[in-house]
Structure formats: structure tokens, C-alpha cells
Amino acid sequence: MQWLRTLSRQHWLRGLVGGCTLFLGACSANSSDPRPSGRTSPAPTVPDTNGAPDGVPSTSRSSPLLAPPSPLRRLTREEYNNTVRDLLNDSSAPAGGFAGESIGGSGFATPGIVSAQDVSGYMDAAEALSSASMSKLISGLNCDPALQGDAICAKRFVESFGGRAYRRTLTAAEEADLLQVFTEAGALPGNVTFTDKLQLLVRAILQSPQFLYHWELGLSAPKVANGVVRLTPYEVASRLSYFLWSTMPDDALLGAAEANRLGTPNDLAAEVTRMLQDPKARDTVTSFHSQWLKLDNLLRIVKDPTTYPLFNDALRRDMKAENAAFVNHVLLDSDAKLTTLLSATFSFVNEPLAKLYGVTGVTGTGLRKVALNASERAGILTQTALLSTTANAYEGSLILRGKLLREQFLCQRLAPPPAVVPPIPALAPGQSLRERSVIHMSNASCKVCHELMDPIGYGFGNYDAIGAYRTTEAGKTIDASGSISGLDGSDQSFNGPAELAALLSTSSQVRNCVAKQWFRFAFRRAELPEDAPSLSSAFDAFEKADYDIRTLLSALAQSPSFSYRSLAPGELSQ
């Protein structure tokens, strides 16, 4: 009905405007820069409370805690799909039709400015989701409008469904606002049923800022202590849930928030342990590695069908599935060590992948764990998904492979090539990739950038454009010796991927970068000076646990940046 759509849009606009005024610029700011309107927040401190009841972490008076800003951030498409799945038991994944997301300073998917396309997408999704879910929602309401009245049943629905959708207990004003939507619908002419009114209510909730945003600005004037604001237990619960599950909190986590059991490091550590044992953590582990390693490009790249007849859509899916199975096994089912992630000589393959790896005795389409040749393979670095995405249609790319390691494993951002740099020439007959690289780097204008990438890429010379291992190229034996300049302050040489993996897995620079990547994924922003104590404490825990990534995730959740924020400029004057 058109009136349903009209009222739904009016409610969306009311809520969006009201939400944005709480935090200047937050709804339009690119959250890769969390400082609204370019203004710099102060770096307030939290005094040492030595285990005070409010749960402020203990710290020495000479090392004060710092609180970063907390910009409003919309749910990503993945988070939206997972949230409606868990809220409505709907796996239709409507966010696939939403506008694209940017990769900001965090390096991970983050929604940008709200566009007209976004508003239309949210509205269309809310209409479809509410229509599909009404029978299930009404059957689970445990209230009969014919016996108890529309108003009583609507109030019960708002308290239960609204609380789950907003990921917290609703305020009296929010409850009244939603019930007003229900009442307005009932006042329209015609035969408006209880189901019609409830359907509008669901649409309004699904389009509200409280549902669409990570709401971390409190529900009233912030309680400020020494210039910092502690997130509410419900806000901490949502941070935990979207960090580790990429979806809304479950009943247990909401119950912990209601009982104020998320206020101490021990509370948070216990929840992290529980949550990492839940199957929902597997989707998040997969998503992190897919974005960190840029594996989403696998679905878009093309290969020359004559050179690589095995490469097709099914093989693309198998490659991604292999990576997902491997990283989840290492992080959630095995020792979770960074060394295992980078150096393991096993993976999970089916028959098509086994052919690429040269593994015999594997049949069928299901993945199974197999041992790989230790002289040819080393953890995620030599998996077919990564090798295929760092290649072109005809051959592997020394440049792309070196660039990926430089940026994603060393956290060094490389500038794009200037327009005046000549293009890389095509391979000459009988010329290897390494030979072309050496000639290319003889040009002084090219060398300054390519010497940071190509020598790392030499170590991947044995892999073709879909990750198959080879020993010769252009009729010559491949030289897989390479080097990494500036690794831990010096130039490091290696021969082949196994030695490269060993260098990376023992590098303090790589270990620090991995910790930063998980931090950026958790907050969907780059680290700020105020985050230094949190990153330092998380890395200390990571180091003491022999670089156990599960310990790192727990330490990030226990850090000050996870539970505190600074005041936004002008926030108290609102």
C-alpha cells in the first residue's frame, strides 16, 4: 500500500535528521577519518582507579589512558545481511543490491556518505523484509490483538522486537515514537488491520538510524569523567558482536549488558572466549582475511582460457573456500599462531584444487585437509586464491605480489605511479618476468618504487597466474631468490616462499602490522595517536602468547579504545 511507503519514508527522514544532530557531520563524514569536519578532538586522560567499580582499566599515573573519537558508522552490507538474518531469520541477503562501499584509511569496507540510492535501497529492503517476515513475527508475538487489544500487543512487540533491533533497551521516548507510527497507521481510512500496522512498524524500525548505525553516542547527555566517556554496556556488547561476529548481539550478550557484566577486562575476556567458539565467528574470520588479502578481487579477475583452461567460476569458489577453511582452522580450531598462518605446509583441497597443487588421491568436490610439499608451499602466502589475485590474465605479477606484502604485511602504503612513468613493456620472446623486472628497474624513475616490490615478488616466481607451481619459465630455471628492503631496519634476503614465510613470521614489523590490521578491522578506521596505549597493550599480550591471534583479539576487546571515547566537538552543547 502506498500509504505504508509514504509513512515509512517520513519516519526514516525524522529519525535520520534527529540522529545526525547528535553528532555533527557524523552521518555524512567518511569514517576513515573519525574526526568530524576535520576538527581535532583533545586527547583526554582517565585517572588510575585501580579496579574501581566502573571498570576503568588500571594503569599507572605516568601512563594515562587516551580515548579516541567514536564517529557514527553505518552497518556494512555484510553486517546488514547478517543482522537481518539473526533478527528476522531471513537469509535473503538484500544488501547485495545496496550501493557500493569504500575502502578508507582502515583498508576494510566502510559505508561512505548517505546517498539517495542508499535511502531507496534501505526502503526497498525494509518493505521486502517486513512482508516476508510478518507471519513469523506475529506467530511469535504471544499476544492476541482480538483478546488483549492492538495497543497492548503493539507495546509488547515494540519492547521485544524493537529492543533486539536497536541492540538495547529502548528509551521511553523511542518506544512512544514507534507506537505513534503504529497509531498513525491505524488512523488512516480503510480496513487497516493489526498486521498492516505492525508491518509499517517493522519497516520504520528497519529504516531507523538506531538500527542502521553502530550507535555509540549514548541515549542522553554523556556522562563525562575527566573529558572521556565510557560506552554503555549495550554499546560495548554491540562492539563485541560486530567485531567478532559481524552481526547483532545474541541473547546471552544482551543479558550480560543488562546485568552490567561487560565492565571489566575479565568480563570481556570471558565473552570473547565464548564468542570465538560460536559458528558466527567463522564468517568474520573469513571476511577479515578476504579483505586483508584482497581476495574479493578473485571474483572479478579473468584468465586467458587458452593458457589456463582449468580456471572457471567453480574454481574461483573453490579457491576462496580453501582460504576460508584454512584460516578458520588455524585461528579457531588449531593453535591460532601467526607462524602457522604464514608457514603451514597443509591446506584444504578438493579434486580440482588438488590438481593445481599436484596432490594425488583426492576426489570429489568436498574440501579435505592434506599435506603439501614443504619446498613449494607456505601458509596463506602460497594459496591459489592469493596467487591468482596477484596476477594478470597471462602470468603471475612480481609487482602485485610484492606490493601486497609491502602494504598488507608491513603496513607501508605505496604511492601510485606518477603519470610520466612509462608503462611496463610486454615480455619479449624468451624473456622471464625477473629479467624484464631487472631491465625495468634500470630506469631511475621506475627503480625508486619497484625496488620496494619486485625483489619481494621474485620469491613467487615459481607460481603461474592461477597458483600452479613450476620450475622453469621461458625455457630457463626459475631463480626464486629475493629480498625485502627495510625489514626490521635492515635488508633481508631469502630463497623461495618457505624462507620468505619464515622471515615474515618472525618479523616484529609484520607482527605489529597484523595487530594493526585486526585493530583497523575492529574499528573500521585507521589508528590514531589516542589509540597508542591500546595498541601497545594488545601487542604486549600478543607477544606474551607467542603471537596467538585469539589472544590478540581478546586483548583488543579489553583495550581502552574499545570501551571509551572522547567527546565530539560541540557535543555537550547539543
Side-chain angles (χ1 to χ4, degrees):
M1 286 182 271
Q2 183 60 38
W3 61 266
L4 276 173
R5 187 177 182 90
T6 301
L7 277 181
S8 185
R9 181 180 290 273
Q10 290 172 349
H11 185 81
W12 155 261
L13 291 173
R14 283 204 310 267
L16 183 61
V17 171
C20 287
T21 58
L22 290 176
F23 192 45
L24 297 177
C27 291
S28 60
N30 184 331
S31 61
S32 64
D33 179 2
R35 301 185 190 280
S37 305
R39 298 175 64 178
T40 302
S41 303
T45 62
V46 177
D48 178 18
T49 62
N50 195 24
D54 66 357
V56 176
S58 177
T59 183
S60 68
R61 296 182 186 276
S62 61
S63 302
L65 295 177
L66 303 176
S70 180
L72 278 175
R73 176 172 67 83
R74 280 185 293 146
L75 301 179
T76 66
R77 288 180 294 184
E78 178 186 20
E79 290 170 340
Y80 183 97
N81 284 337
N82 290 346
T83 300
V84 298
R85 176 201 65 199
D86 296 336
L87 178 65
L88 298 168
N89 193 26
D90 188 301
S91 299
S92 60
F98 291 177
E101 296 166 335
S102 63
I103 304 297
S106 71
F108 296 93
T110 307
I113 295 173
V114 179
S115 66
Q117 183 181 355
D118 290 316
V119 174
S120 179
Y122 289 138
M123 180 169 292
D124 291 342
E127 290 176 353
L129 290 166
S130 63
S131 297
S133 62
M134 285 315 300
S135 60
K136 290 181 290 187
L137 291 175
I138 290 177
S139 65
L141 182 55
N142 194 28
C143 186
D144 187 347
L147 297 177
Q148 294 152 293
D150 285 10
I152 291 177
C153 290
K155 182 173 174 32
R156 288 187 184 178
F157 182 81
V158 165
E159 290 172 347
S160 60
F161 180 81
R164 292 186 66 232
Y166 287 7
R167 283 89 76 178
R168 54 172 169 76
T169 301
L170 274 63
T171 65
E174 289 170 334
E175 185 176 317
D177 183 48
L178 291 174
L179 289 174
Q180 181 64 26
V181 174
F182 183 86
T183 302
E184 288 177 7
L188 291 172
N191 183 25
V192 182
T193 67
F194 177 80
T195 299
D196 292 334
K197 292 184 286 186
L198 209 62
Q199 187 170 335
L200 175 63
L201 193 54
V202 173
R203 292 183 186 182
I205 289 171
L206 294 180
Q207 294 174 82
S208 67
Q210 292 90 336
F211 174 77
L212 293 171
Y213 282 81
H214 294 270
W215 200 265
E216 297 174 348
L217 297 174
L219 302 175
S220 58
K223 295 179 181 179
V224 183
N226 297 304
V228 298
V229 180
R230 183 178 178 84
L231 298 184
T232 71
Y234 286 109
E235 290 165 352
V236 173
S238 280
R239 272 204 177 179
L240 269 178
S241 190
Y242 283 101
F243 171 29
L244 300 177
W245 286 346
S246 301
T247 189
M248 60 183 288
D250 63 359
D251 290 342
L253 192 52
L254 289 174
E258 184 176 8
N260 198 25
R261 293 198 309 270
L262 297 175
T264 69
N266 287 341
D267 289 339
L268 293 168
E271 281 299 325
V272 170
T273 298
R274 179 185 74 85
M275 294 172 70
L276 289 178
Q277 294 170 352
D278 189 285
K280 291 192 288 287
R282 295 183 177 273
D283 289 342
T284 298
V285 168
T286 298
S287 179
F288 169 82
H289 288 89
S290 183
Q291 294 186 64
W292 176 39
L293 303 176
K294 309 301 180 186
L295 301 185
D296 288 339
N297 294 333
L298 185 63
L299 303 178
R300 294 183 289 272
I301 59 175
V302 296
K303 304 295 178 184
D304 176 58
T306 302
T307 309
Y308 302 104
L310 293 177
F311 192 80
N312 54 32
D313 287 343
L315 190 63
R316 296 172 194 260
R317 292 191 294 269
D318 290 343
M319 289 175 171
K320 288 209 72 173
E322 176 203 359
N323 176 262
F326 175 80
V327 296
N328 275 286
H329 175 80
V330 173
L331 265 66
L332 301 178
D333 301 330
S334 186
D335 61 13
K337 297 296 177 62
L338 179 61
T339 299
T340 305
L341 189 71
L342 297 180
S343 302
T345 56
F346 64 83
S347 194
F348 293 80
V349 305
N350 58 11
E351 187 172 354
L353 288 172
K355 292 178 181 178
L356 275 182
Y357 282 112
V359 175
T360 59
V362 177
T363 58
T365 59
L367 297 177
R368 51 178 280 195
K369 185 180 178 183
V370 299
L372 302 177
N373 188 327
S375 66
E376 299 178 3
R377 304 288 172 174
I380 56 174
L381 299 177
T382 57
Q383 288 184 347
T384 56
L386 184 145
L387 295 168
S388 295
T389 54
T390 52
N392 59 37
Y394 297 94
E395 70 256 341
S397 172
L398 306 178
I399 299 168
L400 291 178
R401 290 168 180 175
K403 182 176 185 289
L404 181 82
L405 264 69
R406 180 70 66 176
E407 293 190 332
Q408 302 307 107
F409 288 81
L410 302 183
C411 289
Q412 296 175 350
R413 186 60 56 88
L414 301 179
V420 296
V421 172
I424 298 174
L427 284 172
Q431 185 182 49
S432 70
L433 292 169
R434 185 176 187 129
E435 289 170 336
R436 181 180 66 180
S437 169
V438 170
I439 295 173
H440 189 64
M441 285 201 296
S442 66
N443 185 325
S445 64
C446 302
K447 181 178 180 180
V448 65
C449 290
H450 281 268
E451 67 182 357
L452 297 174
M453 302 179 289
D454 292 28
I456 303 174
Y458 295 160
F460 295 93
N462 289 110
Y463 305 103
D464 66 15
I466 62 172
Y469 189 84
R470 60 192 182 167
T471 58
T472 62
E473 179 192 8
K476 305 166 189 173
T477 300
I478 292 172
D479 177 4
S481 61
S483 62
I484 308 179
S485 60
L487 182 66
D488 298 328
S490 64
D491 296 345
Q492 304 282 345
S493 299
F494 62 89
N495 188 9
E499 291 188 12
L500 172 59
L503 274 180
L504 296 177
S505 63
T506 57
S507 163
S508 61
Q509 194 170 348
V510 171
R511 291 163 172 169
N512 270 286
C513 182
V514 170
K516 286 181 180 179
Q517 297 288 11
W518 273 107
F519 178 96
R520 294 166 181 175
F521 178 80
F523 293 92
R524 299 301 168 109
R525 62 171 174 79
E527 59 278 6
L528 297 169
E530 297 94 328
D531 297 308
S534 293
L535 273 168
S536 179
S537 63
F539 188 80
D540 286 347
F542 190 32
E543 182 179 41
K544 290 176 182 176
D546 194 22
Y547 306 101
D548 180 316
I549 297 172
R550 287 193 297 260
T551 299
L552 170 64
L553 304 188
S554 183
L556 287 172
Q558 297 173 57
S559 69
S561 290
F562 203 86
S563 296
Y564 291 88
R565 66 175 179 88
S566 62
L567 282 167
E571 183 178 359
L572 288 180
S573 64
Q574 296 301 310

